[in-house]
Amino acid sequence: ASLPLRVNVSDLTGVGFDLAKKVSYQLDGFGGAWTDMTIDGDSKWNANVTLGSGEKEYNIYFKAEDTLGNIIDAASTKHTVYLDSAAPVLTERTINSVDTKFIKEALTITGTASDTNELAKLELYIDGVKEAGTISVDLDVADNDIDLTDDNNSWSYEIDPGVQGNKTYKFVATDIAGKTTEIVRNVTLDTGAPTLVLSTVIPTYNYGLTTIEGTVEDTYGVDSVVVKKQDGSDELASLTWDNVNSRYNWKVVLDLQTEGDFTLDITALDNADNSTGNSSETIHVDESYPTLTEINIPDSNNIFIKEDKILTGTITDTNALTKIEVKVGSGVYTPLSIDFDGVDDEYGTGDDVTTWS
């Protein structure tokens, strides 16, 4: 490390200073070598003192002589300097990442600032513009020992971006020697919920693997789409970016096994934890097969007839009947008419017993 020196010498009450005799300095006490300084055009004496490395205190003495040979008392010229080679230590522990932090409301961040000698100040720049004043740091003693319970070097700052969008916060700690350390944090304020759309037309009744799809979009980014499964647990939907429409397509496959109704609960979260939901769809799960009976067919699989015979039976389902078909020989299936007997055959009416022929 190099320390520049610039000294003004005068002998106002004596016979005057002899420029030919020069001015010299000595580093770290008497007995060492004296080094001559050089004079500049402003009659100031200059020198660059080479210091060692590491944190250390140095004493510098000066010597000058007037025209009568009177020499200044070197001890009275003693100047003490301290080599501060370490930059301040600055931490931020709330965001604690170089990645952008998304918030939907004010956020108080905290950290510590310390130095091996003395911390001078902690300043803040928002989008490159310095904020007025400084951030207060808990400094109880000059030597900011982070291990002392009464001097924890803590600081805090409330981030309230105010306007939607991104801002850059740069915290700069400066020690007494002018060395600096900085931390940069990017924060985006997002108070709007994502837009969630369910595009799948869900059939009235479902069973087994059922695919549900839709779209989701947000100005500052989507975090996830969560679908509540039939057992109450959450299923994360897959997200695929749609470059054409600048939004995400989401998709989830549910395995519907338990008979009954459940509400399709879908929630979209953005990066700031704003959420929006779609819970308007009710899914009917039908795990039971229809029950088909034959009324006028003997137990034997083979019957012999000599003329047309009308076969009749009943068909029952716990939910809704769709159709009954018959195939003769190697022919094709043909739908049969179903007599609902006046029963409105919809889910929830109980045993919908019908006859067919």
Side-chain angles (χ1 to χ4, degrees):
S2 179
L3 175 66
L5 299 178
R6 196 161 191 255
V7 178
N8 180 46
V9 179
S10 64
D11 188 26
L12 300 178
T13 60
V15 295
F17 175 68
D18 187 355
L19 294 178
K21 295 185 177 181
K22 298 187 177 181
V23 174
S24 55
Y25 74 88
Q26 183 187 75
L27 183 65
D28 266 343
F30 299 105
W34 289 90
T35 303
D36 289 340
M37 304 177 72
T38 59
I39 193 168
D40 60 21
D42 295 326
S43 298
K44 299 294 191 299
W45 295 87
N46 299 270
N48 282 316
V49 180
T50 300
L51 305 177
S53 60
E55 307 267 325
K56 184 179 178 181
E57 183 179 277
Y58 293 88
N59 295 315
I60 302 175
Y61 302 85
F62 297 92
K63 182 174 68 173
E65 186 176 344
D66 65 14
T67 55
L68 295 180
N70 296 309
I71 301 175
I72 190 171
D73 180 15
S76 67
T77 68
K78 175 183 175 181
H79 286 73
T80 300
V81 297
Y82 193 94
L83 176 59
D84 183 357
S85 60
V89 177
L90 178 63
T91 69
E92 183 281 314
R93 56 197 175 200
T94 303
I95 299 175
N96 197 29
S97 173
V98 296
D99 297 332
T100 298
K101 173 70 174 179
F102 294 88
I103 62 175
K104 59 182 178 181
E105 57 192 3
L107 174 70
T108 298
I109 66 173
T110 62
T112 61
S114 62
D115 189 72
T116 52
N117 295 296
E118 186 175 341
L119 189 72
K121 58 187 174 180
L122 177 60
E123 299 172 302
L124 172 64
Y125 294 77
I126 300 179
D127 288 339
V129 179
K130 184 183 178 303
E131 290 289 282
T134 59
I135 298 176
S136 176
V137 181
D138 179 12
L139 304 175
D140 296 330
V141 291
D143 181 12
N144 306 319
D145 190 339
I146 200 168
D147 294 324
L148 294 180
T149 57
D150 61 344
D151 181 18
N152 58 13
N153 308 285
S154 64
W155 59 268
S156 66
Y157 180 79
E158 183 178 283
I159 290 181
D160 187 6
V163 180
Q164 296 269 99
N166 179 266
K167 286 187 178 181
T168 300
Y169 296 80
K170 182 172 73 172
F171 301 88
V172 181
T174 305
D175 68 14
I176 199 169
K179 293 182 179 295
T180 62
T181 300
E182 65 181 46
I183 287 178
V184 177
R185 295 291 181 256
N186 294 300
V187 179
T188 295
L189 175 67
D190 178 9
T191 59
T195 301
L196 177 69
V197 175
L198 173 64
S199 58
T200 299
V201 178
I202 300 176
T204 304
Y205 298 98
N206 298 267
Y207 179 73
L209 297 179
T210 302
T211 299
I212 301 171
E213 299 176 283
T215 61
V216 62
E217 54 188 305
D218 187 84
T219 304
Y220 299 104
V222 174
D223 177 74
S224 61
V225 174
V226 180
V227 180
K228 189 75 70 176
K229 295 194 295 185
Q230 198 176 9
D231 62 4
S233 62
D234 291 335
E235 180 79 12
L236 278 177
S238 63
L239 295 175
T240 304
W241 180 248
D242 180 354
N243 281 317
V244 175
N245 297 299
S246 296
R247 65 189 182 192
Y248 284 98
N249 295 320
W250 60 268
K251 176 181 177 181
V252 67
V253 178
L254 301 180
D255 190 6
L256 306 177
Q257 295 290 334
T258 304
E259 180 92 15
D261 291 351
F262 86 100
T263 301
L264 183 60
D265 189 347
I266 309 169
T267 302
L269 293 172
D270 65 15
N271 289 323
D273 207 29
N274 297 299
S275 64
T276 187
N278 184 323
S279 303
S280 61
E281 294 289 336
T282 298
I283 294 182
H284 306 297
V285 181
D286 181 2
E287 68 167 345
S288 302
Y289 291 96
T291 300
L292 180 65
T293 65
E294 303 153 330
I295 295 176
N296 60 342
I297 299 179
D299 291 339
S300 172
N301 289 330
N302 298 315
I303 62 172
F304 299 92
I305 59 174
K306 62 180 180 179
E307 58 188 10
D308 290 344
K309 182 177 180 62
I310 296 177
L311 303 178
T312 61
T314 61
I315 183 171
T316 306
D317 190 73
T318 55
N319 293 295
L321 299 172
T322 303
K323 62 184 176 180
I324 181 172
E325 296 175 311
V326 65
K327 182 174 74 170
V328 179
S330 61
V332 297
Y333 280 101
T334 302
L336 300 180
S337 62
I338 301 176
D339 181 5
F340 290 102
D341 294 329
V343 176
D344 185 10
D345 188 46
E346 293 181 355
Y347 177 77
T349 58
D351 289 336
D352 298 319
V353 179
T354 63
T355 59
W356 58 268
S357 63

